Amino acid sequence: MLSSRARSLPASSTAALDAEIKARIADGADIINLTGGELDFPTPEQAADGARRAITEGLTRYTPVAGVQPLREAIARRLSGHWGCSYDAAQIVTTNGAKQALAQVFTVLCEPGDEVILPAPYWVSFPHMIALAGAAPVTVPTAHNGFKLTPEVLRAHLTPRSRVLLLNNPSNPTGVVYERSELLALAQMAVENGLIIVTDEIYGDLVHAGASFTSVASLGPEIAERTVTIGGFSKTYAMTGWRIGFAAAPLPVAAALTAVQGHTSSAPSSISQYAALAALTDGTEAELARRAAELSARRTIMRDGILDLPPIRLTALPQGGFFVFADVSALCARPGDDAASVARDLLEHAGVAVMPGNDFAAPDHVRLSYGVATEDIVRALDRIGTYLKSTGTGVHHG
């Protein structure tokens, strides 16, 4: 009954595990959940007020497929003012979350058999989105270089079928942030080889001290003409449930994205669009700065805590987003052990839920979120340390 695409498509492992853990917690289990891809901060009150105004004013009808003009203009202004990108409203397509934007981008860019260069570790949905569009993900390992793709490695994986270079900066799950010079070298090679760059920059506002974010489309007109920028409101504004994302693209790509969206989901919720507009225009900067400072402090606690938990180690220090990606290969002592078995042990014996890296193409790593309350991070680290001591595999120095 099912198509071959559907038969080969697994459920999202991150969403499934997070839902399972939340259900167990709701049933009374004593679990600290570090699996989630969302911050514990509330949606800014300005955004909530914008949604309430939209309802009161009756702004509850269909909107243009690409989104209401004021929101598209506000997104373009923010991309210009914060990230140095030269986009206008006509190049912005708002979507039901950044995930939908990504899926539609591969649909409009890829022919069957085209190849998409996919640096690994990667976010779990990337290869499946690519495959659903009929293209082939070409996984490129990067652990040997601190989880960053280099021009030399990119060149080695190019073929006549190479169509798209997919970048995720800052990275989920690794937390690494590319330097401007690193991105420029990759982008120049992409242009020279006729590649289109799809860059998922949804964590671009969440970069910590010691690193700086560069948007690929800011690297020059020739690069911008071959770049599709993906962003959204879920991470920066803690609006995961509102489902508002966007693609910023050259005009022909934006038009194609709008056409696809018009025949599938249509525009995002009008209420969510006006909430997003208020988030951009009603003075949230001070609150975002306060949250950024708190998130940075949490990052330090999580990073230093993991460094204090041998034999767990960090291949690269987290610079952006809200994840730490930890190497747990030294805990894989039994035949067949991998990150999934380590995660099960931590869940059952320490009461800490972490995301195994198996579906990130890193079966020897686990992802831990520091998007939770500071006290939960501290308690989780203490529990992991106690568990490691009980097994004789590590010593907690904290």
Side-chain angles (χ1 to χ4, degrees):
M1 180 182 294
L2 296 177
S3 69
S4 59
R5 292 187 303 275
R7 288 196 303 271
S8 62
L9 183 68
S12 168
S13 58
T14 53
L17 181 57
D18 189 52
E20 175 192 341
I21 299 304
K22 286 177 178 176
R24 292 178 63 169
I25 292 172
D27 288 339
D30 179 18
I31 298 171
I32 302 172
N33 187 8
L34 304 182
T35 67
E38 60 184 352
L39 295 167
D40 67 333
F41 301 130
T43 294
E45 190 59 30
Q46 294 93 330
D49 285 342
R52 285 188 283 264
R53 286 196 303 271
I55 295 171
T56 300
E57 295 170 11
L59 300 174
T60 56
R61 305 293 184 178
Y62 290 133
T63 73
V65 170
V68 296
Q69 186 71 10
L71 175 57
R72 296 165 72 196
E73 291 173 352
I75 292 171
R77 286 195 302 271
R78 195 169 201 282
L79 290 174
S80 174
H82 285 251
W83 293 357
C85 303
S86 182
Y87 286 116
D88 60 37
Q91 296 175 276
I92 308 298
V93 180
T94 62
T95 57
N96 292 280
K99 185 179 284 190
Q100 183 188 10
L102 282 160
Q104 291 180 172
V105 163
F106 296 122
T107 296
V108 304
L109 293 182
C110 296
E111 299 284 357
D114 282 348
E115 294 176 351
V116 177
I117 304 297
L118 177 59
Y122 48 68
W123 177 53
V124 296
S125 292
F126 282 149
H128 306 298
M129 291 176 168
I130 294 165
L132 282 171
V138 176
T139 301
V140 181
T142 63
H144 64 285
N145 191 54
F147 295 136
K148 289 183 178 180
L149 181 66
T150 65
E152 295 74 22
V153 173
L154 171 59
R155 183 185 295 111
H157 286 81
L158 294 178
T159 77
R161 290 186 173 274
S162 299
R163 172 70 170 167
V164 172
L165 168 61
L166 175 56
L167 297 173
N168 179 202
N169 180 49
S171 166
N172 172 14
T174 68
V176 300
V177 176
Y178 283 83
E179 296 179 7
R180 182 181 182 87
S181 60
E182 294 169 331
L183 285 175
L184 184 58
L186 290 170
Q188 288 174 335
M189 177 166 287
V191 170
E192 291 168 4
N193 288 275
L195 301 181
I196 302 168
I197 304 168
V198 175
T199 176
D200 179 355
E201 300 179 352
I202 196 166
Y203 293 96
D205 291 318
L206 305 178
V207 175
H208 308 297
S212 60
F213 171 71
T214 299
S215 180
V216 173
S218 73
L219 295 173
E222 187 178 21
I223 293 170
E225 288 173 2
R226 303 193 66 82
T227 297
V228 180
T229 304
I230 304 297
F233 292 78
S234 291
K235 314 304 180 181
T236 300
Y237 296 97
M239 293 175 66
T240 50
W242 297 83
R243 306 315 301 137
I244 287 288
F246 62 84
L251 282 172
V253 178
L257 290 170
T258 302
V260 169
Q261 187 158 291
H263 289 293
T264 52
S265 68
S266 294
S269 156
S270 63
I271 307 305
S272 295
Q273 289 187 59
Y274 285 105
L277 176 61
L280 290 176
T281 59
D282 288 2
T284 57
E285 293 304 315
E287 174 62 14
L288 293 183
R290 185 196 68 78
R291 294 181 181 191
E294 182 174 340
L295 190 62
S296 183
R298 294 179 184 179
R299 187 276 304 250
T300 299
I301 293 169
M302 178 69 86
R303 177 199 64 197
D304 293 351
I306 293 297
L307 291 172
D308 207 26
L309 287 174
I312 300 174
R313 66 183 189 89
L314 296 181
T315 305
L317 297 179
Q319 299 172 302
F322 46 87
F323 302 116
V324 166
F325 206 48
D327 183 342
V328 295
S329 57
L331 300 181
C332 299
R334 300 163 300 196
D337 273 358
D338 58 10
S341 56
V342 172
R344 285 194 297 272
D345 288 342
L346 290 175
L347 178 61
E348 300 304 330
H349 302 296
V352 178
V354 301
M355 186 65 65
N358 300 60
D359 289 343
F360 298 105
D364 53 358
H365 282 67
V366 298
R367 191 189 74 180
L368 304 91
S369 169
Y370 51 90
V372 300
T374 299
E375 55 266 30
D376 286 336
I377 296 172
V378 172
R379 288 195 304 125
L381 292 169
D382 284 343
R383 288 186 180 191
I384 295 172
T386 299
Y387 167 69
L388 292 178
K389 285 194 291 185
S390 74
T391 62
T393 55
V395 178
H396 182 38
H397 301 290

